[in-house]
Amino acid sequence: MSAVGSTNSGSQLNPLLPLGEVAAPPNTMKVLENVQQQTGPQTNSALCKRLSPDNNTEGTESENAPIGGHKRQRTKSGSEMDNMVVSPLIGSECYGKSGSEVQVVAPPPLCERNSRTLRTDGLEENSTESSCSVASRDNNDVNISSYNNSISSNIGDCNDVGKLDSKNNRQLSGNETKDTQVLLNGCSSIENISNDISGAESPQCSATLDYVTQLPEGCSGSKPSTAASSSILESTTLEPRRLDTSLDSDVDLEDDDNYLDSSEGEDDTDMTTTLGDEDESCGEDDNQSVISSVTIESTCSLRSVASEVASTISLNEQGQATNEDGSLLYNSTPSTTPLPSFNVSLFSHVPPAINFCKYNEKTDVMPSVIQRLLKWRLTNITPLIVKKTVTNSGFKMTKKTALWNGTWGKHMKSPLFKDIREFQKLNHFPGTFQIGRKDKLWKNFVRLQTKFGKEEFGFIPKTFVLPGEMKAFKTAFDKEGVKKKWIVKPPASARGTGIQVIHKWSQIPSDGPVVVQRYISKPYLINGTKFDMRIYVLVTSFHPLRIYLFQDGLVRFASVQYKTNSATLEDRYMHLTNYSVNKTSATYTHNEDAGQCQGSKWTIKALWGYLKAQGCDTAALWSRIADLVIKTIVSGESDIVLRTRRNVRSRYTCHELFGFDVILDEKLHPWLLEVNISPSLHSASPLDHSVKGPLISDLLNMVAFHIPDKLSHQQQTTLLNDLKLGEGVSGLCLDRRMYTRLLTTEELSKHVRINGQSRSEYLATVLENITPDDLRYLIMYEDERARSGGFSCIFPTQESHLYFAFLEKSRYYNILMDAWESIYGTCRQKGIDRLEALCAIMHHLQVPQKFKLPKTAIPPPPTPNLSSSPRQQPLSPKQKPSSPSSTG
């Protein structure tokens, strides 16, 4: 039985509780098993019961809210909602029964040669009708209708005026401007609101592919039935340096790869997922390595992200990796003076985040009243470099309190996330084993490959999960004969444990479940040696999806030169690249210099310099890897979002660092080997420190740790006067209003309306009126980007909507981010100015009446309603969108 809805975790100890303490009964969040169906005639006028005029309950939660019926306990700070029952069906899961069709029109190609083939999928109508509730808007809520529109008059043009034909979503020119002109609030010109980013033909664009754009789902009362095509852009031994001798005893507890709990397989469903012989996923030995949708010739934002780093790196005469100006990549020295203790937000009335320095730096000493609140939960696998980073930034390590603020530990079963309190952060989302376990990853991959083809999902070698797919594997094995090689892996192991390369049927283990994968027998070699890459990926949110790619990483070499003959298959030093395997080899050599291409471990940036010297388009290769990363995370997105809604109280709680292991074949095409949900941060050399030091400090700064809301209003005011953080900082502690899932009636109505629109429609309407809920999400996103350091945002981008087809359903916040990037992606400061104007009047702190304001929160000043209408004033004639505005 799936554990998605299970709440029976009584016998399992919670690793996040103090040692020796018995877990209290968890906050019950059971799924309502029997949802009463609506009865009586249905009309097209009512989207669903939650929007009925007769329903007057304030404080409906958004789609990413916990969906189990539960009653929350009020905390000491008074911020929790009392006696609140959440509807089991949220937002876009409700459907009407009318059968009207909506036509989604494809955007123009990037160039004439980038042709596309229309592919139409029939989508089943979801006619589930469930009881759901919504509330009338609080009479005290502030209406800023006249203000939100007035901002645009103070914001200049981003580029030349862009015209959009709402019928065919193409760029207009010349006399064609007579149809309409699209100018959205705050950004009076949008040179390219559709997919045509360059505005000109790309002479190098030659790849073609099929792409499906799925009609957004929602409570639209219409059946989505049409899919449209859309182009998708395609040395000597070194003694380990000791960071802190007092913590050395924990070093041996660090694994090389993955701390995945093998018991995390909560959903032990049938693993028979293999395609038929005629639809086999091609592998390297098929003589056709699949090129993912972001191709070398494509021009897209992923390529732009890659070009900022990969294409500017080269090697000097001494073989050292350098920047474009000739300066060394790894010549930075740690700061000798203390760094600021806080990162101030870009926006007014948003609490500052704690500033994390690197492991070899320190921040200013905080006041003692703050120091006593900063506690970091120590686990057996907390990496040494994380310990040093957080202690140098003001935290105290502890195992003896439940009032910790942050922790870095292993993954745990989804129901245990219910015990995490709203001021606590941890480094996992529930359910990420969906991409972290090799068997689950393949199951999700096959599902998408079956639907969208190998052109989009052909970057994992052909895989079988045994014993469930033993018959299919035997057929493939007999068909290919002993000349083909296979690699056998346990489904949830790490550090190379249990991995072997085979070519005989008798070598297949029969004592337990294994994953058998076609072996990449023709890898790209450097100095005759096989290698793979460890790519670091940070996901700060799954709803909306926000993915960041770290610009550096590790290149791990085998310690014996590669040979293809079968007699060498048992040589683990030749065929495996795991550090934990090769470090015991007599031929393993350490690399002291992160910028040098030598030894058995390089940095990713050094590899880019080497490959560029060999004539490789490193920017294109990096963009292919980014495309691979997005699609892999998308494959598990639906289950992770569901588990997060059921088990996590606050949007503040979760973030996750993934380690993607990628190998290049002889044609420099990337292949995904596996995903680690707890990648090793063990640092045994200066090279490791050069990569993982900035990785950890940038990650912790991005996810924004706040001081717990345990200080009184008066204490915060006194501290702010002493710290001098600026006039825009009105509160020092975590403000739970920033992370609430509650929605007003107006906000929920907007979610439903926007989810039923085509892209050309929502681009013109979703940002007309930025609600307080919208503003909170956009604030968090822009602050993340401002603190991203060595991370690059690969989702959302101006082209991320092209990945929407791969998602199981349309989600409002993904749409919101898509529109934001489309409009402000090339003029970001204009967007920030617009948000700041709203934050200055505390628009983001307007929450539903049901929300219990914490005692420590800085209350917003009473603001009179500016208009009796809940909608903003209409746009001026010059700002009228070309697409039809929605009603609501």
Side-chain angles (χ1 to χ4, degrees), residues 84-104:
M84 177 177 170
V85 178
V86 184
S87 171
L89 290 179
I90 311 294
S92 58
E93 298 177 10
C94 300
Y95 276 90
K97 283 192 172 184
S98 63
S100 60
E101 296 184 354
V102 178
Q103 179 69 31
V104 179

Side-chain angles (χ1 to χ4, degrees), residues 475-519:
T475 301
F477 190 94
D478 292 341
K479 179 181 177 180
E480 297 181 359
V482 295
K483 293 183 179 181
K484 299 296 182 181
K485 301 177 182 63
W486 302 83
I487 186 166
V488 179
K489 308 175 184 180
S493 67
R495 296 174 293 170
T497 304
I499 298 179
Q500 58 179 319
V501 182
I502 65 171
H503 70 292
K504 297 179 181 179
W505 183 259
S506 60
Q507 296 172 309
I508 299 173
S510 58
D511 55 350
V514 293
V515 172
V516 181
Q517 193 173 74
R518 183 171 286 146
Y519 186 57

